[in-house]
Amino acid sequence: MAEAVTVEGLEKRYGRVEALRGISLSVKRGEIFGLLGANGAGKTTLIRILVGLARPTAGSVSVLGFDPNREAAALRRQVGFMPQSPALYLDLSTRANVAFFGAAHPHENSGRRVEEIIDFVALRERAHDPVHTLSGGMKQRVSLGCALFHKPALLLLDEPTAGVDPPLREIFWKHFRDLAASGATIVVSTHQLDEALACDRLAVMRDGAVLACDSPAGLLRRGRTTVRVKCGDAIEEARIESTPEALAAHLKHAGLSPEVASVELVADTLETIVLDLVRRGGAP
């Protein structure tokens, strides 16, 4: 299968609330796929459906070739899931939590794998401390370690680096890229634009709908570039498409004469583009 995840016409309603409104998307194997949107956009609901923790109201879902509800047991052996709020045993130590969740996935050398995970999440000095004594960011790290224990084929991460400091976030993302390079598929929910730029593709969501699905570069091409040309004392400003061809076409009338002292380009950021998509509801 080329796709690790296929979603068609997916809907989820809680009473009168439409958490997902007929979304369709696919995630390729070995891809880091981002779900980008504000709280309430439907990101967590979608991940819960993919892992089999919620049933869709309508539509179809295939995850690694399995139906997440009818074949949940078989699917979960191949999936790692990190929820938005760490689901840990607060009175158990860091090591005991990793070992407990790892026991659900027998490993040829479970003891060594526990130690590898503790080192990866950089909690060696807190390995024996009860989880309730850890900071919020440390709990996130323990939760991520539990999700990675069995080296899953698909990793579902709901805001995985919330509360994690930038240096450790960089380490996590290097590991995510290494996992993807080895063939694992990662679906990550985030509202942090620096993380969104690290994904192969992004689905921009709002109010349970997908407004756009593209690579970060593709989304950036949807933006505009401000061009300021100074000629003598006069400054001409225009908004053009963010492509080299559009810039060349715009500057033809200037002739690039010796009087053109400078050309300044100010491209829309991903944040600007996403906010504009949300404001317009995805309309071109």
Side-chain angles (χ1 to χ4, degrees):
M1 291 178 59
E3 286 79 31
V5 175
T6 303
V7 171
E8 294 286 348
L10 193 65
E11 298 179 10
K12 178 61 179 178
R13 292 189 292 273
Y14 297 98
R16 296 182 179 179
V17 177
E18 289 185 293
L20 294 176
R21 297 188 288 124
I23 69 172
S24 298
L25 55 83
S26 64
V27 180
K28 300 174 183 176
R29 288 181 182 266
E31 184 175 37
I32 300 179
F33 189 91
L35 303 174
L36 182 63
N39 292 336
K43 307 185 304 294
T44 295
T45 298
L46 175 57
I47 286 181
R48 286 176 58 83
I49 289 175
L50 295 181
V51 81
L53 293 177
R55 286 183 174 274
T57 305
S60 63
V61 184
S62 175
V63 180
L64 299 177
F66 297 100
D67 181 295
N69 293 119
R70 294 201 306 265
E71 302 169 290
L75 174 61
R76 287 175 188 173
R77 286 194 288 269
Q78 300 186 47
V79 171
F81 172 51
M82 178 183 170
Q84 187 171 13
S85 299
L88 303 169
Y89 290 94
L90 300 183
D91 291 332
L92 295 182
S93 68
T94 296
R95 176 179 280 108
N97 266 280
V98 174
F100 177 83
F101 286 99
H105 305 281
H107 192 274
E108 58 185 8
N109 196 329
S110 295
R112 183 174 65 189
R113 183 61 178 160
V114 169
E115 301 309 314
E116 290 173 353
I117 291 295
I118 289 172
D119 286 334
F120 167 67
V121 297
L123 287 173
R124 173 62 57 189
E125 294 182 358
R126 305 298 299 272
H128 296 287
D129 294 346
V131 165
H132 72 79
T133 67
L134 304 183
S135 67
M138 290 179 178
K139 291 173 184 173
Q140 287 287 96
R141 287 147 65 181
V142 178
S143 184
L144 177 60
C146 293
L148 289 171
F149 185 90
H150 58 301
K151 301 179 181 179
L154 173 64
L155 192 57
L156 300 170
L157 306 172
D158 197 355
E159 301 287 353
T161 60
V164 174
D165 59 70
L168 190 58
R169 183 187 301 173
E170 184 178 350
I171 292 173
F172 281 1
W173 273 91
K174 180 183 183 304
H175 191 67
F176 297 159
R177 287 190 288 271
D178 289 344
L179 285 171
S182 69
T185 305
I186 299 174
V187 176
V188 55
S189 162
T190 185
H191 61 268
Q192 301 185 54
L193 292 168
D194 59 335
E195 292 191 343
L197 287 168
C199 296
D200 297 314
R201 284 192 303 140
L202 293 165
V204 180
M205 299 184 66
R206 187 193 74 173
D207 297 334
V210 173
L211 305 180
C213 187
D214 207 339
S215 66
L219 288 174
L220 287 169
R221 284 194 293 270
R222 296 175 181 232
R224 309 284 285 182
T225 294
T226 299
V227 182
R228 298 189 185 102
V229 178
K230 183 178 180 182
C231 189
D233 293 329
I235 297 177
E236 177 188 290
E237 181 173 303
R239 294 275 288 168
I240 65 171
E241 293 181 1
S242 297
T243 66
E245 294 77 12
L247 176 60
H250 177 73
L251 293 179
K252 280 181 180 178
H253 76 278
L256 295 179
S257 71
E259 294 182 355
V260 177
S262 66
V263 177
E264 181 182 0
L265 303 180
V266 182
D268 284 347
T269 64
L270 183 60
E271 180 177 13
T272 301
I273 294 165
V274 169
L275 288 175
D276 190 50
L277 273 170
V278 170
R279 178 181 59 80
R280 292 184 288 104

